[in-house]
Amino acid sequence: MATKGRVLKLTIMQRRNPNLTEEEFHAHWTTKHASLASAWLRRNGIIGYTQHHIPKSTRDLAASVAKEFSWTLSDYDGHVEFMLRSVEDLKKAVEDPEYPEKVLPDEQRFMDQSNSLVTVGWEEVYVKDGKVVNIDRNGNSVYS
């Protein structure tokens, strides 16, 4: 369960199926998988689903900054974020018969699931639409 009533954000870092080009991966994820997954996720109580596309061309934009700070630049092709009330909500979704029948086979078409990386946490937003948010008059986070 999320802490202090916060929703959880489950993030899965993904690599493309090595049999697809980078362009084919991103196109399939956007044009085919998004609509298939969205209806199934909503029906199973998932409250948010966001795709983050990370082609090599955009990774390259951060290469000099990563080098300057000695950061390791991720080579994942994208990541997906699910907003959940609990991890049980995602478990319920993958137990839905539609997952093994339709969603999983589609994921296997364009993703290399054996190389995925998962994180779970919550989001604290402090700058939104160019404005400082969630900081009280005393300069403290409203999340604390």
Side-chain angles (χ1 to χ4, degrees):
M1 200 57 138
T3 306
K4 296 183 183 181
R6 297 177 182 135
V7 296
L8 292 174
K9 180 182 281 191
L10 186 138
T11 303
I12 305 173
M13 303 297 293
Q14 301 170 323
R15 290 198 173 94
R16 64 183 165 87
N17 178 327
N19 296 319
L20 297 179
T21 66
E22 190 175 77
E23 293 77 17
E24 290 169 329
F25 167 81
H26 291 290
H28 183 91
W29 198 13
T30 297
T31 62
K32 305 288 186 203
H33 192 73
S35 62
L36 176 66
S38 295
W40 159 73
L41 290 165
R42 181 191 49 80
R43 190 175 60 256
N44 283 286
I46 305 304
I47 56 177
Y49 167 60
T50 304
Q51 297 177 352
H52 295 265
H53 295 259
I54 312 170
K56 184 178 181 322
S57 60
T58 59
R59 285 194 306 268
D60 289 347
L61 295 173
S64 64
V65 174
K67 184 177 180 178
E68 182 179 335
F69 289 98
S70 299
W71 296 340
T72 300
L73 191 59
S74 169
D75 63 350
Y76 284 92
D77 295 293
H79 68 266
V80 62
E81 292 178 348
F82 300 103
M83 298 302 285
L84 319 162
R85 288 179 190 86
S86 77
V87 175
E88 291 301 311
D89 291 343
L90 191 59
K91 185 177 181 214
K92 175 186 162 197
V94 297
E95 290 172 349
D96 178 323
E98 186 174 343
Y99 183 72
E101 292 170 12
K102 295 179 182 176
V103 179
L104 178 60
D106 188 60
E107 289 174 346
Q108 292 169 333
R109 256 182 226 107
F110 76 101
M111 277 189 254
D112 177 4
Q113 292 180 316
S114 68
N115 284 304
S116 294
L117 179 68
V118 177
T119 65
V120 181
W122 66 85
E123 182 175 87
E124 294 182 2
V125 177
Y126 295 104
V127 177
K128 185 173 183 175
D129 299 325
K131 296 177 183 171
V132 174
V133 296
N134 298 318
I135 301 293
D136 68 19
R137 291 181 191 162
N138 298 318
N140 299 311
S141 170
V142 299
Y143 297 109
S144 55

